[in-house]
Amino acid sequence: MERGLPHGRAQPGTVTKLAPKSAKKFILDNTALMAPAHVPEVLLHLADEAHDLWLRTEEELAEIGLPPPFWAFAWAGGQGLARYVLDNPGTVRGRRVLDFASGSGLVAIAAMKAGAARVVAADIDPFCETAIAINLEANAVEAQFRGTDCVGSDDGWDVVLAGDVFYDKAFADRLLPWFTSLRARGAEILVGDPGRAYLPRTGLQSLAVYQVPVTRVLEDAEVKRTTVWRLA
């Protein structure tokens, strides 16, 4: 049984948005700068067993007005997608990229390191703007942040990268038509997925498969078989 859901799908109005200074202090107090196991080229402020945040349940966090800290972990789908981008820089080099459901900013950072012309990191979790800014600074790269729901929009991105997004049926039902419309007008849509329940069964081309180390606190195994898919 998977613990929690990736990338912070907090509903507007249900969480407390801390001031940037307070959010930054909270993040720095509850994380450490480290490299994800499958993407050692990138440094992120992540929670580990040494931090209280690792052990707190979503219910405990809700009591103090905080959304689940999905930005504090390097999820398998994101690690696989970041690995693919770094190993295949032509995927994003010189192109306009959207990192959808960015979380920690891992995939956005990988895209910038691989030579993307412009990257937008999008996530509706109110903590992500601060977390991503801190992580961008740690990697000496720049990207824009978008904190609004961008499903259905089109800002002319050449490539859309999405890690761990097919975990909820209602959300998946919104994503697929959007991804399909972007693909129809020429955008590349790449998805990193470790076998989430609502990944489409058709219309995807496998580009790479990775064995990504994770933790049982978050997942149902210590290594997740993670595939990078291209929307055909």
Side-chain angles (χ1 to χ4, degrees), residues 2 6 75-78 163-166 191-197 199 210 212 214 219-220 224-229:
E2 292 170 1
W75 295 84
D164 279 303
V165 293
F166 288 106
V191 175
D193 190 274
R196 303 296 180 201
L199 180 74
Y210 303 105
V212 180
V214 289
E219 301 280 11
D220 56 359
K224 295 288 285 188
R225 185 178 187 273
T226 300
T227 303
V228 174
W229 301 95

mmCIF file with all atom_site columns, all heavy atoms in Angstrom, residues 2 6 75-78 163-166 191-197 199 210 212 214 219-220 224-229:
data_model
loop_
_atom_site.group_PDB
_atom_site.id
_atom_site.type_symbol
_atom_site.label_atom_id
_atom_site.label_alt_id
_atom_site.label_comp_id
_atom_site.label_asym_id
_atom_site.label_entity_id
_atom_site.label_seq_id
_atom_site.pdbx_PDB_ins_code
_atom_site.Cartn_x
_atom_site.Cartn_y
_atom_site.Cartn_z
_atom_site.occupancy
_atom_site.B_iso_or_equiv
_atom_site.pdbx_formal_charge
_atom_site.auth_seq_id
_atom_site.auth_comp_id
_atom_site.auth_asym_id
_atom_site.auth_atom_id
_atom_site.pdbx_PDB_model_num
ATOM 1   N N   . GLU A 1 2   ? 0.665  2.141  -0.938  1.00 0.00 ? 2   GLU A N   1
ATOM 2   C CA  . GLU A 1 2   ? 1.474  3.339  -0.998  1.00 0.00 ? 2   GLU A CA  1
ATOM 3   C C   . GLU A 1 2   ? 1.064  4.304  0.099   1.00 0.00 ? 2   GLU A C   1
ATOM 4   O O   . GLU A 1 2   ? -0.103 4.462  0.410   1.00 0.00 ? 2   GLU A O   1
ATOM 5   C CB  . GLU A 1 2   ? 1.314  4.005  -2.371  1.00 0.00 ? 2   GLU A CB  1
ATOM 6   C CG  . GLU A 1 2   ? 1.901  3.197  -3.488  1.00 0.00 ? 2   GLU A CG  1
ATOM 7   C CD  . GLU A 1 2   ? 1.529  3.754  -4.832  1.00 0.00 ? 2   GLU A CD  1
ATOM 8   O OE1 . GLU A 1 2   ? 0.834  4.772  -4.884  1.00 0.00 ? 2   GLU A OE1 1
ATOM 9   O OE2 . GLU A 1 2   ? 1.938  3.147  -5.830  1.00 0.00 ? 2   GLU A OE2 1
ATOM 10  N N   . PRO A 1 6   ? 1.820  11.503 -4.390  1.00 0.00 ? 6   PRO A N   1
ATOM 11  C CA  . PRO A 1 6   ? 2.910  12.373 -4.805  1.00 0.00 ? 6   PRO A CA  1
ATOM 12  C C   . PRO A 1 6   ? 2.494  13.809 -5.068  1.00 0.00 ? 6   PRO A C   1
ATOM 13  O O   . PRO A 1 6   ? 1.389  14.084 -5.496  1.00 0.00 ? 6   PRO A O   1
ATOM 14  C CB  . PRO A 1 6   ? 3.387  11.728 -6.111  1.00 0.00 ? 6   PRO A CB  1
ATOM 15  C CG  . PRO A 1 6   ? 2.822  10.355 -6.102  1.00 0.00 ? 6   PRO A CG  1
ATOM 16  C CD  . PRO A 1 6   ? 1.562  10.432 -5.314  1.00 0.00 ? 6   PRO A CD  1
ATOM 17  N N   . TRP A 1 75  ? 10.535 11.510 -5.265  1.00 0.00 ? 75  TRP A N   1
ATOM 18  C CA  . TRP A 1 75  ? 9.694  10.375 -5.628  1.00 0.00 ? 75  TRP A CA  1
ATOM 19  C C   . TRP A 1 75  ? 10.282 9.620  -6.825  1.00 0.00 ? 75  TRP A C   1
ATOM 20  O O   . TRP A 1 75  ? 11.026 10.169 -7.633  1.00 0.00 ? 75  TRP A O   1
ATOM 21  C CB  . TRP A 1 75  ? 8.288  10.872 -5.941  1.00 0.00 ? 75  TRP A CB  1
ATOM 22  C CG  . TRP A 1 75  ? 7.634  11.453 -4.726  1.00 0.00 ? 75  TRP A CG  1
ATOM 23  C CD1 . TRP A 1 75  ? 7.763  12.729 -4.250  1.00 0.00 ? 75  TRP A CD1 1
ATOM 24  C CD2 . TRP A 1 75  ? 6.788  10.770 -3.803  1.00 0.00 ? 75  TRP A CD2 1
ATOM 25  N NE1 . TRP A 1 75  ? 7.050  12.882 -3.093  1.00 0.00 ? 75  TRP A NE1 1
ATOM 26  C CE2 . TRP A 1 75  ? 6.430  11.703 -2.793  1.00 0.00 ? 75  TRP A CE2 1
ATOM 27  C CE3 . TRP A 1 75  ? 6.285  9.473  -3.733  1.00 0.00 ? 75  TRP A CE3 1
ATOM 28  C CZ2 . TRP A 1 75  ? 5.603  11.369 -1.723  1.00 0.00 ? 75  TRP A CZ2 1
ATOM 29  C CZ3 . TRP A 1 75  ? 5.444  9.138  -2.675  1.00 0.00 ? 75  TRP A CZ3 1
ATOM 30  C CH2 . TRP A 1 75  ? 5.117  10.073 -1.689  1.00 0.00 ? 75  TRP A CH2 1
ATOM 31  N N   . ALA A 1 76  ? 9.916  8.366  -6.929  1.00 0.00 ? 76  ALA A N   1
ATOM 32  C CA  . ALA A 1 76  ? 10.517 7.494  -7.938  1.00 0.00 ? 76  ALA A CA  1
ATOM 33  C C   . ALA A 1 76  ? 10.280 7.998  -9.355  1.00 0.00 ? 76  ALA A C   1
ATOM 34  O O   . ALA A 1 76  ? 11.189 7.993  -10.192 1.00 0.00 ? 76  ALA A O   1
ATOM 35  C CB  . ALA A 1 76  ? 9.978  6.069  -7.793  1.00 0.00 ? 76  ALA A CB  1
ATOM 36  N N   . GLY A 1 77  ? 9.057  8.419  -9.659  1.00 0.00 ? 77  GLY A N   1
ATOM 37  C CA  . GLY A 1 77  ? 8.764  8.892  -11.006 1.00 0.00 ? 77  GLY A CA  1
ATOM 38  C C   . GLY A 1 77  ? 9.587  10.106 -11.374 1.00 0.00 ? 77  GLY A C   1
ATOM 39  O O   . GLY A 1 77  ? 10.086 10.223 -12.498 1.00 0.00 ? 77  GLY A O   1
ATOM 40  N N   . GLY A 1 78  ? 9.733  11.032 -10.429 1.00 0.00 ? 78  GLY A N   1
ATOM 41  C CA  . GLY A 1 78  ? 10.544 12.218 -10.671 1.00 0.00 ? 78  GLY A CA  1
ATOM 42  C C   . GLY A 1 78  ? 12.012 11.886 -10.845 1.00 0.00 ? 78  GLY A C   1
ATOM 43  O O   . GLY A 1 78  ? 12.702 12.453 -11.708 1.00 0.00 ? 78  GLY A O   1
ATOM 44  N N   . GLY A 1 163 ? 6.187  13.851 -13.423 1.00 0.00 ? 163 GLY A N   1
ATOM 45  C CA  . GLY A 1 163 ? 6.555  12.681 -12.638 1.00 0.00 ? 163 GLY A CA  1
ATOM 46  C C   . GLY A 1 163 ? 5.514  12.353 -11.592 1.00 0.00 ? 163 GLY A C   1
ATOM 47  O O   . GLY A 1 163 ? 5.059  13.243 -10.868 1.00 0.00 ? 163 GLY A O   1
ATOM 48  N N   . ASP A 1 164 ? 5.120  11.086 -11.520 1.00 0.00 ? 164 ASP A N   1
ATOM 49  C CA  . ASP A 1 164 ? 4.196  10.627 -10.468 1.00 0.00 ? 164 ASP A CA  1
ATOM 50  C C   . ASP A 1 164 ? 2.887  11.402 -10.449 1.00 0.00 ? 164 ASP A C   1
ATOM 51  O O   . ASP A 1 164 ? 2.470  11.914 -9.413  1.00 0.00 ? 164 ASP A O   1
ATOM 52  C CB  . ASP A 1 164 ? 4.873  10.733 -9.096  1.00 0.00 ? 164 ASP A CB  1
ATOM 53  C CG  . ASP A 1 164 ? 5.800  9.571  -8.799  1.00 0.00 ? 164 ASP A CG  1
ATOM 54  O OD1 . ASP A 1 164 ? 5.333  8.416  -8.833  1.00 0.00 ? 164 ASP A OD1 1
ATOM 55  O OD2 . ASP A 1 164 ? 6.990  9.819  -8.550  1.00 0.00 ? 164 ASP A OD2 1
ATOM 56  N N   . VAL A 1 165 ? 2.200  11.448 -11.572 1.00 0.00 ? 165 VAL A N   1
ATOM 57  C CA  . VAL A 1 165 ? 0.952  12.220 -11.610 1.00 0.00 ? 165 VAL A CA  1
ATOM 58  C C   . VAL A 1 165 ? -0.305 11.359 -11.744 1.00 0.00 ? 165 VAL A C   1
ATOM 59  O O   . VAL A 1 165 ? -1.417 11.862 -11.533 1.00 0.00 ? 165 VAL A O   1
ATOM 60  C CB  . VAL A 1 165 ? 0.974  13.261 -12.750 1.00 0.00 ? 165 VAL A CB  1
ATOM 61  C CG1 . VAL A 1 165 ? 2.019  14.332 -12.469 1.00 0.00 ? 165 VAL A CG1 1
ATOM 62  C CG2 . VAL A 1 165 ? 1.220  12.624 -14.114 1.00 0.00 ? 165 VAL A CG2 1
ATOM 63  N N   . PHE A 1 166 ? -0.156 10.067 -12.039 1.00 0.00 ? 166 PHE A N   1
ATOM 64  C CA  . PHE A 1 166 ? -1.339 9.240  -12.282 1.00 0.00 ? 166 PHE A CA  1
ATOM 65  C C   . PHE A 1 166 ? -1.711 8.396  -11.063 1.00 0.00 ? 166 PHE A C   1
ATOM 66  O O   . PHE A 1 166 ? -1.903 7.184  -11.167 1.00 0.00 ? 166 PHE A O   1
ATOM 67  C CB  . PHE A 1 166 ? -1.123 8.369  -13.523 1.00 0.00 ? 166 PHE A CB  1
ATOM 68  C CG  . PHE A 1 166 ? -1.170 9.146  -14.796 1.00 0.00 ? 166 PHE A CG  1
ATOM 69  C CD1 . PHE A 1 166 ? -0.013 9.430  -15.498 1.00 0.00 ? 166 PHE A CD1 1
ATOM 70  C CD2 . PHE A 1 166 ? -2.377 9.623  -15.286 1.00 0.00 ? 166 PHE A CD2 1
ATOM 71  C CE1 . PHE A 1 166 ? -0.044 10.153 -16.680 1.00 0.00 ? 166 PHE A CE1 1
ATOM 72  C CE2 . PHE A 1 166 ? -2.431 10.353 -16.474 1.00 0.00 ? 166 PHE A CE2 1
ATOM 73  C CZ  . PHE A 1 166 ? -1.258 10.624 -17.172 1.00 0.00 ? 166 PHE A CZ  1
ATOM 74  N N   . VAL A 1 191 ? 6.371  11.279 -19.197 1.00 0.00 ? 191 VAL A N   1
ATOM 75  C CA  . VAL A 1 191 ? 5.835  10.952 -17.884 1.00 0.00 ? 191 VAL A CA  1
ATOM 76  C C   . VAL A 1 191 ? 6.760  9.959  -17.191 1.00 0.00 ? 191 VAL A C   1
ATOM 77  O O   . VAL A 1 191 ? 7.136  8.940  -17.787 1.00 0.00 ? 191 VAL A O   1
ATOM 78  C CB  . VAL A 1 191 ? 4.420  10.346 -18.013 1.00 0.00 ? 191 VAL A CB  1
ATOM 79  C CG1 . VAL A 1 191 ? 3.907  9.879  -16.648 1.00 0.00 ? 191 VAL A CG1 1
ATOM 80  C CG2 . VAL A 1 191 ? 3.458  11.351 -18.639 1.00 0.00 ? 191 VAL A CG2 1
ATOM 81  N N   . GLY A 1 192 ? 7.133  10.245 -15.964 1.00 0.00 ? 192 GLY A N   1
ATOM 82  C CA  . GLY A 1 192 ? 7.872  9.282  -15.146 1.00 0.00 ? 192 GLY A CA  1
ATOM 83  C C   . GLY A 1 192 ? 6.912  8.609  -14.189 1.00 0.00 ? 192 GLY A C   1
ATOM 84  O O   . GLY A 1 192 ? 6.220  9.286  -13.424 1.00 0.00 ? 192 GLY A O   1
ATOM 85  N N   . ASP A 1 193 ? 6.846  7.279  -14.231 1.00 0.00 ? 193 ASP A N   1
ATOM 86  C CA  . ASP A 1 193 ? 5.826  6.587  -13.443 1.00 0.00 ? 193 ASP A CA  1
ATOM 87  C C   . ASP A 1 193 ? 6.329  5.236  -12.929 1.00 0.00 ? 193 ASP A C   1
ATOM 88  O O   . ASP A 1 193 ? 6.825  4.418  -13.703 1.00 0.00 ? 193 ASP A O   1
ATOM 89  C CB  . ASP A 1 193 ? 4.571  6.365  -14.286 1.00 0.00 ? 193 ASP A CB  1
ATOM 90  C CG  . ASP A 1 193 ? 3.407  5.874  -13.449 1.00 0.00 ? 193 ASP A CG  1
ATOM 91  O OD1 . ASP A 1 193 ? 3.299  4.651  -13.238 1.00 0.00 ? 193 ASP A OD1 1
ATOM 92  O OD2 . ASP A 1 193 ? 2.607  6.723  -12.997 1.00 0.00 ? 193 ASP A OD2 1
ATOM 93  N N   . PRO A 1 194 ? 6.184  4.978  -11.609 1.00 0.00 ? 194 PRO A N   1
ATOM 94  C CA  . PRO A 1 194 ? 6.621  3.700  -11.045 1.00 0.00 ? 194 PRO A CA  1
ATOM 95  C C   . PRO A 1 194 ? 5.473  2.703  -10.861 1.00 0.00 ? 194 PRO A C   1
ATOM 96  O O   . PRO A 1 194 ? 5.487  1.897  -9.932  1.00 0.00 ? 194 PRO A O   1
ATOM 97  C CB  . PRO A 1 194 ? 7.183  4.129  -9.688  1.00 0.00 ? 194 PRO A CB  1
ATOM 98  C CG  . PRO A 1 194 ? 6.288  5.244  -9.276  1.00 0.00 ? 194 PRO A CG  1
ATOM 99  C CD  . PRO A 1 194 ? 5.888  5.953  -10.544 1.00 0.00 ? 194 PRO A CD  1
ATOM 100 N N   . GLY A 1 195 ? 4.480  2.790  -11.729 1.00 0.00 ? 195 GLY A N   1
ATOM 101 C CA  . GLY A 1 195 ? 3.357  1.862  -11.641 1.00 0.00 ? 195 GLY A CA  1
ATOM 102 C C   . GLY A 1 195 ? 2.191  2.387  -10.848 1.00 0.00 ? 195 GLY A C   1
ATOM 103 O O   . GLY A 1 195 ? 1.509  1.619  -10.161 1.00 0.00 ? 195 GLY A O   1
ATOM 104 N N   . ARG A 1 196 ? 1.922  3.678  -10.916 1.00 0.00 ? 196 ARG A N   1
ATOM 105 C CA  . ARG A 1 196 ? 0.767  4.247  -10.229 1.00 0.00 ? 196 ARG A CA  1
ATOM 106 C C   . ARG A 1 196 ? -0.515 3.688  -10.835 1.00 0.00 ? 196 ARG A C   1
ATOM 107 O O   . ARG A 1 196 ? -0.577 3.307  -12.002 1.00 0.00 ? 196 ARG A O   1
ATOM 108 C CB  . ARG A 1 196 ? 0.778  5.771  -10.317 1.00 0.00 ? 196 ARG A CB  1
ATOM 109 C CG  . ARG A 1 196 ? 2.035  6.432  -9.750  1.00 0.00 ? 196 ARG A CG  1
ATOM 110 C CD  . ARG A 1 196 ? 2.205  6.212  -8.264  1.00 0.00 ? 196 ARG A CD  1
ATOM 111 N NE  . ARG A 1 196 ? 3.430  6.858  -7.767  1.00 0.00 ? 196 ARG A NE  1
ATOM 112 C CZ  . ARG A 1 196 ? 4.047  6.522  -6.655  1.00 0.00 ? 196 ARG A CZ  1
ATOM 113 N NH1 . ARG A 1 196 ? 3.581  5.534  -5.906  1.00 0.00 ? 196 ARG A NH1 1
ATOM 114 N NH2 . ARG A 1 196 ? 5.134  7.152  -6.266  1.00 0.00 ? 196 ARG A NH2 1
ATOM 115 N N   . ALA A 1 197 ? -1.569 3.685  -10.041 1.00 0.00 ? 197 ALA A N   1
ATOM 116 C CA  . ALA A 1 197 ? -2.778 2.938  -10.379 1.00 0.00 ? 197 ALA A CA  1
ATOM 117 C C   . ALA A 1 197 ? -3.479 3.427  -11.637 1.00 0.00 ? 197 ALA A C   1
ATOM 118 O O   . ALA A 1 197 ? -4.095 2.627  -12.345 1.00 0.00 ? 197 ALA A O   1
ATOM 119 C CB  . ALA A 1 197 ? -3.745 2.994  -9.197  1.00 0.00 ? 197 ALA A CB  1
ATOM 120 N N   . LEU A 1 199 ? -2.197 5.148  -14.387 1.00 0.00 ? 199 LEU A N   1
ATOM 121 C CA  . LEU A 1 199 ? -1.431 5.367  -15.603 1.00 0.00 ? 199 LEU A CA  1
ATOM 122 C C   . LEU A 1 199 ? -2.209 4.800  -16.787 1.00 0.00 ? 199 LEU A C   1
ATOM 123 O O   . LEU A 1 199 ? -2.697 3.671  -16.725 1.00 0.00 ? 199 LEU A O   1
ATOM 124 C CB  . LEU A 1 199 ? -0.072 4.669  -15.510 1.00 0.00 ? 199 LEU A CB  1
ATOM 125 C CG  . LEU A 1 199 ? 0.842  4.811  -16.734 1.00 0.00 ? 199 LEU A CG  1
ATOM 126 C CD1 . LEU A 1 199 ? 1.431  6.220  -16.781 1.00 0.00 ? 199 LEU A CD1 1
ATOM 127 C CD2 . LEU A 1 199 ? 1.954  3.765  -16.700 1.00 0.00 ? 199 LEU A CD2 1
ATOM 128 N N   . TYR A 1 210 ? 14.059 2.229  -15.190 1.00 0.00 ? 210 TYR A N   1
ATOM 129 C CA  . TYR A 1 210 ? 15.073 2.347  -14.149 1.00 0.00 ? 210 TYR A CA  1
ATOM 130 C C   . TYR A 1 210 ? 14.628 1.623  -12.888 1.00 0.00 ? 210 TYR A C   1
ATOM 131 O O   . TYR A 1 210 ? 13.424 1.509  -12.613 1.00 0.00 ? 210 TYR A O   1
ATOM 132 C CB  . TYR A 1 210 ? 15.306 3.824  -13.798 1.00 0.00 ? 210 TYR A CB  1
ATOM 133 C CG  . TYR A 1 210 ? 15.697 4.694  -14.957 1.00 0.00 ? 210 TYR A CG  1
ATOM 134 C CD1 . TYR A 1 210 ? 14.785 5.581  -15.526 1.00 0.00 ? 210 TYR A CD1 1
ATOM 135 C CD2 . TYR A 1 210 ? 16.983 4.654  -15.492 1.00 0.00 ? 210 TYR A CD2 1
ATOM 136 C CE1 . TYR A 1 210 ? 15.135 6.393  -16.592 1.00 0.00 ? 210 TYR A CE1 1
ATOM 137 C CE2 . TYR A 1 210 ? 17.353 5.473  -16.559 1.00 0.00 ? 210 TYR A CE2 1
ATOM 138 C CZ  . TYR A 1 210 ? 16.417 6.333  -17.105 1.00 0.00 ? 210 TYR A CZ  1
ATOM 139 O OH  . TYR A 1 210 ? 16.776 7.140  -18.151 1.00 0.00 ? 210 TYR A OH  1
ATOM 140 N N   . VAL A 1 212 ? 14.763 2.399  -9.233  1.00 0.00 ? 212 VAL A N   1
ATOM 141 C CA  . VAL A 1 212 ? 15.005 3.606  -8.442  1.00 0.00 ? 212 VAL A CA  1
ATOM 142 C C   . VAL A 1 212 ? 14.901 3.296  -6.949  1.00 0.00 ? 212 VAL A C   1
ATOM 143 O O   . VAL A 1 212 ? 13.850 2.869  -6.469  1.00 0.00 ? 212 VAL A O   1
ATOM 144 C CB  . VAL A 1 212 ? 13.997 4.710  -8.808  1.00 0.00 ? 212 VAL A CB  1
ATOM 145 C CG1 . VAL A 1 212 ? 14.259 5.967  -7.982  1.00 0.00 ? 212 VAL A CG1 1
ATOM 146 C CG2 . VAL A 1 212 ? 14.085 5.026  -10.296 1.00 0.00 ? 212 VAL A CG2 1
ATOM 147 N N   . VAL A 1 214 ? 14.083 3.847  -3.244  1.00 0.00 ? 214 VAL A N   1
ATOM 148 C CA  . VAL A 1 214 ? 13.170 4.717  -2.499  1.00 0.00 ? 214 VAL A CA  1
ATOM 149 C C   . VAL A 1 214 ? 13.164 4.243  -1.046  1.00 0.00 ? 214 VAL A C   1
ATOM 150 O O   . VAL A 1 214 ? 14.055 3.529  -0.619  1.00 0.00 ? 214 VAL A O   1
ATOM 151 C CB  . VAL A 1 214 ? 11.753 4.707  -3.116  1.00 0.00 ? 214 VAL A CB  1
ATOM 152 C CG1 . VAL A 1 214 ? 11.738 5.428  -4.452  1.00 0.00 ? 214 VAL A CG1 1
ATOM 153 C CG2 . VAL A 1 214 ? 11.226 3.299  -3.287  1.00 0.00 ? 214 VAL A CG2 1
ATOM 154 N N   . GLU A 1 219 ? 6.882  4.282  0.188   1.00 0.00 ? 219 GLU A N   1
ATOM 155 C CA  . GLU A 1 219 ? 6.430  3.363  -0.843  1.00 0.00 ? 219 GLU A CA  1
ATOM 156 C C   . GLU A 1 219 ? 6.250  1.966  -0.276  1.00 0.00 ? 219 GLU A C   1
ATOM 157 O O   . GLU A 1 219 ? 6.439  1.724  0.910   1.00 0.00 ? 219 GLU A O   1
ATOM 158 C CB  . GLU A 1 219 ? 7.460  3.338  -1.988  1.00 0.00 ? 219 GLU A CB  1
ATOM 159 C CG  . GLU A 1 219 ? 7.704  4.696  -2.648  1.00 0.00 ? 219 GLU A CG  1
ATOM 160 C CD  . GLU A 1 219 ? 6.623  5.073  -3.649  1.00 0.00 ? 219 GLU A CD  1
ATOM 161 O OE1 . GLU A 1 219 ? 5.576  4.392  -3.683  1.00 0.00 ? 219 GLU A OE1 1
ATOM 162 O OE2 . GLU A 1 219 ? 6.823  6.043  -4.397  1.00 0.00 ? 219 GLU A OE2 1
ATOM 163 N N   . ASP A 1 220 ? 5.926  1.018  -1.168  1.00 0.00 ? 220 ASP A N   1
ATOM 164 C CA  . ASP A 1 220 ? 5.706  -0.357 -0.755  1.00 0.00 ? 220 ASP A CA  1
ATOM 165 C C   . ASP A 1 220 ? 6.915  -1.244 -1.042  1.00 0.00 ? 220 ASP A C   1
ATOM 166 O O   . ASP A 1 220 ? 6.829  -2.460 -0.977  1.00 0.00 ? 220 ASP A O   1
ATOM 167 C CB  . ASP A 1 220 ? 4.464  -0.920 -1.468  1.00 0.00 ? 220 ASP A CB  1
ATOM 168 C CG  . ASP A 1 220 ? 4.565  -0.811 -2.986  1.00 0.00 ? 220 ASP A CG  1
ATOM 169 O OD1 . ASP A 1 220 ? 5.589  -0.277 -3.478  1.00 0.00 ? 220 ASP A OD1 1
ATOM 170 O OD2 . ASP A 1 220 ? 3.630  -1.248 -3.672  1.00 0.00 ? 220 ASP A OD2 1
ATOM 171 N N   . LYS A 1 224 ? 11.832 0.876  -6.732  1.00 0.00 ? 224 LYS A N   1
ATOM 172 C CA  . LYS A 1 224 ? 10.649 0.910  -7.583  1.00 0.00 ? 224 LYS A CA  1
ATOM 173 C C   . LYS A 1 224 ? 11.068 0.870  -9.058  1.00 0.00 ? 224 LYS A C   1
ATOM 174 O O   . LYS A 1 224 ? 11.913 1.656  -9.501  1.00 0.00 ? 224 LYS A O   1
ATOM 175 C CB  . LYS A 1 224 ? 9.856  2.192  -7.348  1.00 0.00 ? 224 LYS A CB  1
ATOM 176 C CG  . LYS A 1 224 ? 9.265  2.305  -5.954  1.00 0.00 ? 224 LYS A CG  1
ATOM 177 C CD  . LYS A 1 224 ? 8.098  1.364  -5.728  1.00 0.00 ? 224 LYS A CD  1
ATOM 178 C CE  . LYS A 1 224 ? 6.851  1.835  -6.409  1.00 0.00 ? 224 LYS A CE  1
ATOM 179 N NZ  . LYS A 1 224 ? 5.661  1.004  -6.027  1.00 0.00 ? 224 LYS A NZ  1
ATOM 180 N N   . ARG A 1 225 ? 10.499 -0.077 -9.794  1.00 0.00 ? 225 ARG A N   1
ATOM 181 C CA  . ARG A 1 225 ? 10.723 -0.141 -11.237 1.00 0.00 ? 225 ARG A CA  1
ATOM 182 C C   . ARG A 1 225 ? 9.968  1.039  -11.870 1.00 0.00 ? 225 ARG A C   1
ATOM 183 O O   . ARG A 1 225 ? 8.742  1.102  -11.815 1.00 0.00 ? 225 ARG A O   1
ATOM 184 C CB  . ARG A 1 225 ? 10.219 -1.464 -11.795 1.00 0.00 ? 225 ARG A CB  1
ATOM 185 C CG  . ARG A 1 225 ? 10.520 -1.674 -13.286 1.00 0.00 ? 225 ARG A CG  1
ATOM 186 C CD  . ARG A 1 225 ? 10.012 -3.037 -13.719 1.00 0.00 ? 225 ARG A CD  1
ATOM 187 N NE  . ARG A 1 225 ? 10.421 -3.363 -15.080 1.00 0.00 ? 225 ARG A NE  1
ATOM 188 C CZ  . ARG A 1 225 ? 9.741  -3.014 -16.175 1.00 0.00 ? 225 ARG A CZ  1
ATOM 189 N NH1 . ARG A 1 225 ? 8.593  -2.343 -16.060 1.00 0.00 ? 225 ARG A NH1 1
ATOM 190 N NH2 . ARG A 1 225 ? 10.177 -3.350 -17.379 1.00 0.00 ? 225 ARG A NH2 1
ATOM 191 N N   . THR A 1 226 ? 10.725 1.957  -12.425 1.00 0.00 ? 226 THR A N   1
ATOM 192 C CA  . THR A 1 226 ? 10.157 3.220  -12.895 1.00 0.00 ? 226 THR A CA  1
ATOM 193 C C   . THR A 1 226 ? 10.387 3.376  -14.395 1.00 0.00 ? 226 THR A C   1
ATOM 194 O O   . THR A 1 226 ? 11.497 3.218  -14.881 1.00 0.00 ? 226 THR A O   1
ATOM 195 C CB  . THR A 1 226 ? 10.795 4.402  -12.139 1.00 0.00 ? 226 THR A CB  1
ATOM 196 O OG1 . THR A 1 226 ? 10.534 4.237  -10.739 1.00 0.00 ? 226 THR A OG1 1
ATOM 197 C CG2 . THR A 1 226 ? 10.253 5.732  -12.605 1.00 0.00 ? 226 THR A CG2 1
ATOM 198 N N   . THR A 1 227 ? 9.321  3.686  -15.097 1.00 0.00 ? 227 THR A N   1
ATOM 199 C CA  . THR A 1 227 ? 9.385  3.819  -16.552 1.00 0.00 ? 227 THR A CA  1
ATOM 200 C C   . THR A 1 227 ? 9.187  5.271  -16.958 1.00 0.00 ? 227 THR A C   1
ATOM 201 O O   . THR A 1 227 ? 8.370  5.985  -16.382 1.00 0.00 ? 227 THR A O   1
ATOM 202 C CB  . THR A 1 227 ? 8.307  2.957  -17.228 1.00 0.00 ? 227 THR A CB  1
ATOM 203 O OG1 . THR A 1 227 ? 8.469  1.598  -16.817 1.00 0.00 ? 227 THR A OG1 1
ATOM 204 C CG2 . THR A 1 227 ? 8.414  3.048  -18.754 1.00 0.00 ? 227 THR A CG2 1
ATOM 205 N N   . VAL A 1 228 ? 9.961  5.719  -17.916 1.00 0.00 ? 228 VAL A N   1
ATOM 206 C CA  . VAL A 1 228 ? 9.722  7.015  -18.551 1.00 0.00 ? 228 VAL A CA  1
ATOM 207 C C   . VAL A 1 228 ? 8.968  6.748  -19.835 1.00 0.00 ? 228 VAL A C   1
ATOM 208 O O   . VAL A 1 228 ? 9.425  5.999  -20.704 1.00 0.00 ? 228 VAL A O   1
ATOM 209 C CB  . VAL A 1 228 ? 11.039 7.763  -18.834 1.00 0.00 ? 228 VAL A CB  1
ATOM 210 C CG1 . VAL A 1 228 ? 10.774 9.045  -19.627 1.00 0.00 ? 228 VAL A CG1 1
ATOM 211 C CG2 . VAL A 1 228 ? 11.751 8.090  -17.529 1.00 0.00 ? 228 VAL A CG2 1
ATOM 212 N N   . TRP A 1 229 ? 7.772  7.352  -19.912 1.00 0.00 ? 229 TRP A N   1
ATOM 213 C CA  . TRP A 1 229 ? 6.884  7.146  -21.045 1.00 0.00 ? 229 TRP A CA  1
ATOM 214 C C   . TRP A 1 229 ? 6.781  8.414  -21.881 1.00 0.00 ? 229 TRP A C   1
ATOM 215 O O   . TRP A 1 229 ? 6.813  9.520  -21.362 1.00 0.00 ? 229 TRP A O   1
ATOM 216 C CB  . TRP A 1 229 ? 5.471  6.797  -20.566 1.00 0.00 ? 229 TRP A CB  1
ATOM 217 C CG  . TRP A 1 229 ? 5.355  5.568  -19.721 1.00 0.00 ? 229 TRP A CG  1
ATOM 218 C CD1 . TRP A 1 229 ? 5.358  5.504  -18.349 1.00 0.00 ? 229 TRP A CD1 1
ATOM 219 C CD2 . TRP A 1 229 ? 5.189  4.234  -20.171 1.00 0.00 ? 229 TRP A CD2 1
ATOM 220 N NE1 . TRP A 1 229 ? 5.195  4.214  -17.925 1.00 0.00 ? 229 TRP A NE1 1
ATOM 221 C CE2 . TRP A 1 229 ? 5.100  3.410  -19.013 1.00 0.00 ? 229 TRP A CE2 1
ATOM 222 C CE3 . TRP A 1 229 ? 5.114  3.639  -21.440 1.00 0.00 ? 229 TRP A CE3 1
ATOM 223 C CZ2 . TRP A 1 229 ? 4.925  2.022  -19.101 1.00 0.00 ? 229 TRP A CZ2 1
ATOM 224 C CZ3 . TRP A 1 229 ? 4.932  2.272  -21.525 1.00 0.00 ? 229 TRP A CZ3 1
ATOM 225 C CH2 . TRP A 1 229 ? 4.848  1.478  -20.364 1.00 0.00 ? 229 TRP A CH2 1
#
